[in-house]
Amino acid sequence: MQKPPQSIDFALKETSPKIGAGAVTGDKLSSTYDLVEQMQYLYVRVVKAKDLPGKDVTGGCDPYVEVKLGNYKGVTKHFEKKNNPEWNQVFAFSKERIQASVLEVYVKDKDVVADDLIGRALFDLNEIPKRIPPDSPLAPQWYRLEDRKGDKAKGELMLAVWMGTQADEAFPEAWHSDAASVGPDAVASIRSKVYLSPKLWYVRVNVIKAQDLVPNDKSRFPEVFVKAMLGNQALRTRISQSKTINPMWNEDLMFVVAEPFEEPLVLSVEDRVGGNKDETLGKCVIPLHIVQRRLDHRPVNSRWLNLEKHVIVDGEKKEIKFASRIHLRICLEGGYHVLDESTHYSSDLRPTAKQLWRPSIGILELGILSAHGLMPMKTKDGRGTTDAYCVAKYGQKWIRTRTIVDNFMPRWNEQYTWEVFDTCTVITVGVFDNGHVHGGAGGARDARIGKVRIRLSTLEADRVYTHSYPLLVLHPSGVKKTGEIQLALRFTCSSLINMLHMYSHPLLPKMHYIHPLSVIQLDVLRHQAMQIVSTRLSRAEPPLRKEVVEYMLDVDLHMWSMRRSKANFFRIMGVLSGLIAVGKWFDQICNWRNPLTTILIHILFIILVLYPELILPTIFLYLFLIGIWNYRWRPRHPPHMDTRLSHADAAHPDELDEEFDTFPTSRPSDIVRMRYDRLRSIAGRVQTVIGDLATQGERFQSLLSWRDPRATTLFVTFCLIAALVLYVTPFQVVALLAGIYILRHPRFRHKLPSTPLNFFRRLPARSDSML
């Protein structure tokens, strides 16, 4: 089922940026930082000052440095009463915006009324040296200060001034002239940053049994279960079948935990004494850093732990130690990959334990060039504005570009690199609006502008892909294009043999197949892992905010969506369309629509029957030829978000509103009732289809079950006759006769169903026994 192409506005566009990759230049940068356009910056590193004169009555001064270039001005922090201050701050001025010919550096004394000038240093831009990494950083020099008249003033300032590019190591930490309107408190929130996801482990707690429990009410049989708490995760075993003071469970409880281990595992043995009332019989606390780490399926040693109980005596909390014990087997599972993103677009499939990692097979390089056509995401001073930054996630490494303030066409030109361990992985690049540039309130959120996913297995090795990707966001009102992002991408393979050999390996580590976790378990654990990752990254400085991480990890992907269900149905129809097309073609052959083709098929069929050893070679040769033929039309660009495939451009507004509804629902009861009725009607159709499938299966079973004695008698008799005939008749003769019968001319056919089909449809099913 071929779908029409999506709107050109939502399509991928190939671009030709002026990047070093593939270009023959004399610049050293073209070999190391070649996926982005070079951006020239004037860098000023203000290191320290000495022997500054006192400006107030106490003889001290509160110095700070002001770096001025035309209309742009950067200011260091100021010190109280310090004549030899150290700042070590870097300022970067974009060469594109430089209009002045002189760089002015002022040392001033902070004052209540007006700041006093201590001295200044001037630099002619034509005489500033150029630095290209990997050259060593330019050494700062002492410059004697002068007053406004050009005469020598007291004090010296240590500076380094040079022209460089965004490849300079000073670039990430620098104050940028294009963010001059950002206050000093918010500067940290606009800088580029590399983050690492916390190392995640599965914790397996095998609760075996308990011994010598002391229930408060000894007149009844205890109904005992074990509750386990790890941070905000809580699990419990079933109530023990042996209702004694020595209960048994032998149940596994699975948790997710991140290094460093901050929370201990708390186990409590509880007795169900009433409907909703549980009584604690004992408790134990286990720090995770002492727990054994397991790399394979071999069982770890079990251990007995004492249970402790606290009681209140005369208003004081006292600990009672007694002989109650619990038998456990606890381990940190290093052989699993802890899923913290959807398996459909995982960026990492390695096990937790580093010693189980295979060697890397290549390098992924990403150049985040620019965006254009961005929509205004918020209002400031009565006009729309956007402060855009990018986040890219692959494996455990997250990167965040600097924020370009108040610009609908931001140019980042930042390049990043990842090691690749498996090509069947996906890199995700998201674009966001920074809601904290101008001191956003505590409840301010970074708004999503859009994201792009690229599967590495669809990329050719050593080729540079430069494309402009549409940024699409689904809103309750429909799909909207919020702009385009221009990326340069290159996957470099270090070992072709290792990469090809990887296609024979299982996708996940072997523990997932030796001791598999259930689908429900994996879903719960994935949700917990996502929460841990988003919480940890939101505590970094500057924080990668929770809403950003959740959007990148597709936290709400498991929620019901009518639109997504329709899209998946049509995806299945697209997969089956090939089989349907073959069926229609074969029907045309059988009905002699094209007599010449049908005669050729007859000849081919007779050859294959007479020489059956040619069947498999013919099939594989045919598949080979199809593959070679399709090579001419192979995709030449990476995959991108498809609005037609997603059914986003034709979704009903109410279906989108339902998709964006909270869980549990927050909509009025009449809307919820309407949606419930709609779901019931859809489920009714699904129920009918499933019932029809069950009916056909039960008819097959009834062939030999004697539910219809006459039908089974006929079938058994037919089987005996067929066995005798096939025993004495060569198989090739039978196949030839059957094929000629199926391909017979329409003159020898009639429109009524065939005898075998009539017989099958008369067989009984169990649908008449259904209530």
Side-chain angles (χ1 to χ4, degrees):
M1 184 180 292
Q2 193 69 30
K3 293 183 72 65
Q6 61 178 345
S7 163
I8 191 70
D9 202 33
F10 296 154
L12 193 70
K13 298 173 187 137
E14 192 156 5
T15 58
S16 302
K18 295 176 182 176
I19 62 176
V24 181
T25 64
D27 198 333
K28 293 185 217 172
L29 272 176
S30 63
S31 60
T32 56
Y33 212 70
D34 59 346
L35 292 185
V36 291
E37 297 174 345
Q38 289 185 30
M39 299 173 73
Q40 298 292 329
Y41 286 90
L42 169 65
Y43 288 97
V44 182
R45 182 182 290 276
V46 180
V47 184
K48 57 186 174 180
K50 67 179 181 180
D51 303 332
L52 297 180
K55 286 289 183 181
D56 54 23
V57 291
T58 61
C61 66
D62 307 329
Y64 70 91
V65 175
E66 180 182 292
V67 182
K68 191 176 180 186
L69 186 62
N71 295 327
Y72 294 102
K73 182 172 67 175
V75 180
T76 67
K77 59 183 179 292
H78 82 277
F79 290 98
E80 299 280 346
K81 311 296 181 198
K82 202 164 186 179
N83 294 66
N84 298 301
E86 287 192 24
W87 294 282
N88 201 24
Q89 280 184 250
V90 182
F91 299 85
F93 297 88
S94 175
K95 190 178 179 183
E96 290 180 351
R97 302 189 179 188
I98 293 177
Q99 295 174 343
S101 58
V102 176
L103 171 69
E104 304 165 82
V105 182
Y106 297 96
V107 182
K108 293 187 176 182
D109 175 40
K110 188 94 174 159
D111 205 351
V112 178
V113 182
D115 297 345
D116 299 322
L117 176 68
I118 297 174
R120 69 176 183 177
L122 304 179
F123 298 87
D124 188 339
L125 293 191
N126 296 321
E127 297 178 3
I128 290 174
K130 188 175 182 181
R131 184 209 164 207
I132 302 174
D135 292 354
S136 298
L138 206 67
Q141 299 179 35
W142 285 106
Y143 294 90
R144 181 167 288 282
L145 299 175
E146 55 184 46
D147 58 18
R148 291 192 186 279
K149 297 177 182 178
D151 300 330
K152 287 183 179 179
K154 192 178 179 185
E156 292 181 71
L157 181 64
M158 183 182 269
L159 287 175
V161 183
W162 71 96
M163 293 295 297
T165 68
Q166 74 270 37
D168 203 295
E169 58 266 21
F171 181 78
E173 60 177 289
W175 173 94
H176 289 273
S177 58
D178 55 7
S181 62
V182 178
D185 296 336
V187 166
S189 71
I190 66 169
R191 285 187 176 145
S192 58
K193 178 85 173 176
V194 175
Y195 305 85
L196 287 177
S197 287
K199 189 175 183 179
L200 299 173
W201 294 80
Y202 283 145
V203 182
R204 187 186 295 272
V205 183
N206 179 222
V207 184
I208 303 170
K209 59 184 176 181
Q211 195 177 70
D212 301 331
L213 297 179
V214 184
N216 292 341
D217 184 2
K218 296 183 173 58
S219 63
R220 52 180 284 278
F221 293 111
E223 297 182 11
V224 185
F225 63 92
V226 175
K227 187 165 75 175
M229 296 276 293
L230 184 56
N232 61 353
Q233 305 172 65
L235 294 173
R236 46 164 287 180
T237 66
R238 67 184 188 281
I239 292 174
S240 173
Q241 299 298 312
S242 53
K243 297 186 177 181
T244 65
I245 59 170
N246 299 312
M248 294 187 66
W249 296 278
N250 198 21
E251 274 190 57
D252 275 356
L253 305 177
M254 295 288 289
F255 297 91
V256 183
V257 68
E259 288 186 3
F261 305 133
E262 297 174 346
E263 303 275 353
L265 175 67
V266 180
L267 294 175
S268 60
V269 181
E270 315 236 338
D271 181 14
R272 175 63 53 84
V273 294
N276 292 314
K277 189 179 178 187
D278 302 324
E279 206 169 70
T280 303
L281 304 181
K283 186 179 285 190
C284 66
V285 178
I286 306 159
L288 290 179
H289 64 269
I290 65 168
V291 172
Q292 184 178 343
R293 302 185 178 199
R294 182 170 82 159
L295 304 182
D296 53 27
H297 61 282
R298 285 176 289 193
V300 297
N301 297 326
S302 62
R303 51 199 288 202
W304 286 95
L305 295 174
N306 290 328
L307 293 170
E308 298 173 353
K309 190 175 182 181
H310 297 278
V311 295
I312 307 296
V313 179
D314 298 330
E316 292 185 10
K317 193 176 185 181
K318 291 191 176 180
E319 184 180 301
I320 299 177
K321 292 190 176 180
F322 50 91
S324 292
R325 300 189 302 168
I326 188 167
H327 194 197
L328 301 169
R329 190 178 278 114
I330 309 177
C331 65
L332 290 161
E333 296 279 15
Y336 289 89
H337 168 67
V338 180
L339 293 162
D340 61 346
E341 50 197 338
S342 170
T343 46
H344 297 298
Y345 14 84
S346 285
S347 63
D348 189 14
L349 301 166
R350 292 170 293 168
T352 299
K354 198 167 184 178
Q355 51 266 52
L356 299 178
W357 291 3
R358 296 192 182 97
S360 68
I361 59 170
I363 296 291
L364 174 66
E365 295 165 281
L366 172 70
I368 302 175
L369 299 171
S370 61
H372 60 272
L374 297 185
M375 304 285 287
M377 302 303 292
K378 56 180 179 280
T379 54
K380 183 195 171 197
D381 301 331
R383 64 181 183 86
T385 180
T386 296
D387 307 316
Y389 68 92
C390 290
V391 175
K393 196 261 184 200
Y394 184 77
Q396 294 180 330
K397 179 177 169 183
W398 299 66
I399 66 92
R400 169 184 174 151
T401 67
R402 71 192 190 284
T403 300
I404 307 293
V405 179
D406 193 12
N407 197 329
F408 298 130
M409 300 181 69
R411 295 176 64 222
W412 294 284
N413 283 306
E414 297 183 28
Q415 183 169 335
Y416 298 93
T417 304
W418 287 267
E419 273 190 300
V420 177
F421 293 87
D422 195 325
T423 54
C424 298
T425 46
V426 173
I427 182 171
T428 306
V429 182
V431 186
F432 299 88
D433 173 60
N434 195 329
H436 300 79
V437 169
H438 305 289
R445 293 169 64 87
D446 289 358
R448 55 183 75 168
I449 298 176
K451 70 180 168 190
V452 175
R453 293 193 207 98
I454 302 168
R455 184 169 291 276
L456 268 62
S457 59
T458 62
L459 304 178
E460 296 175 22
D462 301 315
R463 179 187 161 192
V464 177
Y465 291 85
T466 53
H467 290 86
S468 183
Y469 298 81
L471 295 170
L472 306 174
V473 175
L474 200 63
H475 290 279
S477 56
V479 67
K480 287 184 180 175
K481 181 180 176 182
T482 51
E484 293 184 11
I485 182 171
Q486 190 176 359
L487 302 176
L489 201 68
R490 177 173 58 207
F491 168 58
T492 308
C493 174
S494 57
S495 172
L496 182 62
I497 293 173
N498 284 350
M499 183 172 70
L500 296 177
H501 181 54
M502 179 148 288
Y503 280 86
S504 67
H505 292 159
L507 203 59
L508 292 167
K510 64 180 183 181
M511 279 295 286
H512 285 268
Y513 307 98
I514 297 172
H515 277 201
L517 302 172
S518 70
V519 174
I520 296 173
Q521 259 185 321
L522 283 173
D523 275 344
V524 173
L525 292 170
R526 182 189 294 114
H527 179 71
Q528 294 293 347
M530 286 175 173
Q531 296 302 317
I532 290 171
V533 170
S534 61
T535 302
R536 285 287 178 94
L537 291 177
S538 66
R539 281 160 40 186
E541 193 56 48
L544 195 59
R545 303 199 176 271
K546 196 177 179 74
E547 62 270 19
V548 171
V549 177
E550 289 181 348
Y551 180 58
M552 295 288 287
L553 294 178
D554 285 295
V555 167
D556 54 355
L557 185 70
H558 65 286
M559 298 299 288
W560 160 257
S561 163
M562 179 72 77
R563 173 193 61 82
R564 207 177 286 129
S565 300
K566 284 182 181 177
N568 288 335
F569 172 76
F570 283 105
R571 283 173 62 202
I572 292 174
M573 295 305 295
V575 170
L576 296 177
S577 62
L579 295 174
I580 295 169
V582 169
K584 289 180 178 177
W585 171 81
F586 187 71
D587 184 62
Q588 290 176 355
I589 296 295
C590 293
N591 287 298
W592 291 67
R593 295 281 170 84
N594 188 333
L596 181 62
T597 306
T598 304
I599 290 168
L600 289 174
I601 292 296
H602 273 81
I603 295 169
L604 177 64
F605 173 71
I606 292 169
I607 292 171
L608 292 178
V609 168
L610 295 177
Y611 302 98
E613 63 273 12
L614 294 178
I615 294 174
L616 286 178
T618 302
I619 292 171
F620 285 113
L621 180 63
Y622 183 61
L623 294 175
F624 168 77
L625 292 173
I626 291 175
I628 294 298
W629 179 261
N630 288 342
Y631 181 76
R632 296 169 58 195
W633 293 283
R634 68 192 184 280
R636 300 296 293 166
H637 56 75
H640 65 290
M641 301 294 185
D642 191 325
T643 53
R644 285 284 161 86
L645 181 71
S646 310
H647 269 252
D649 54 353
H652 191 274
D654 182 66
E655 293 173 4
L656 291 174
D657 184 66
E658 181 183 24
E659 187 170 336
F660 282 89
D661 191 7
T662 55
F663 188 87
T665 182
S666 56
R667 298 295 186 264
S669 58
D670 55 335
I671 293 178
V672 175
R673 188 180 297 112
M674 180 270 289
R675 289 173 181 168
Y676 175 62
D677 290 340
R678 182 173 63 198
L679 268 181
R680 286 176 66 192
S681 66
I682 294 170
R685 291 177 219 160
V686 174
Q687 174 183 283
T688 303
V689 172
I690 293 172
D692 289 343
L693 290 173
T695 297
Q696 308 309 322
E698 287 167 355
R699 283 173 176 165
F700 269 111
Q701 289 178 338
S702 64
L703 282 170
L704 295 170
S705 67
W706 296 93
R707 281 181 62 83
D708 182 342
R710 285 165 293 280
T712 304
T713 302
L714 286 171
F715 182 69
V716 169
T717 306
F718 168 76
C719 288
L720 177 63
I721 295 169
L724 294 173
V725 170
L726 292 174
Y727 182 75
V728 299
T729 310
F731 177 75
Q732 287 172 309
V733 174
V734 175
L736 194 65
L737 292 173
I740 291 172
Y741 176 77
I742 291 169
L743 295 170
R744 67 194 185 278
H745 195 274
R747 186 176 295 174
F748 304 106
R749 297 174 185 273
H750 48 84
K751 293 184 179 180
L752 296 177
S754 62
T755 301
L757 191 58
N758 290 333
F759 177 77
F760 181 74
R761 285 176 175 169
R762 288 176 174 276
L763 291 171
R766 305 190 67 186
S767 53
D768 49 349
S769 302
M770 294 271 293
L771 286 174

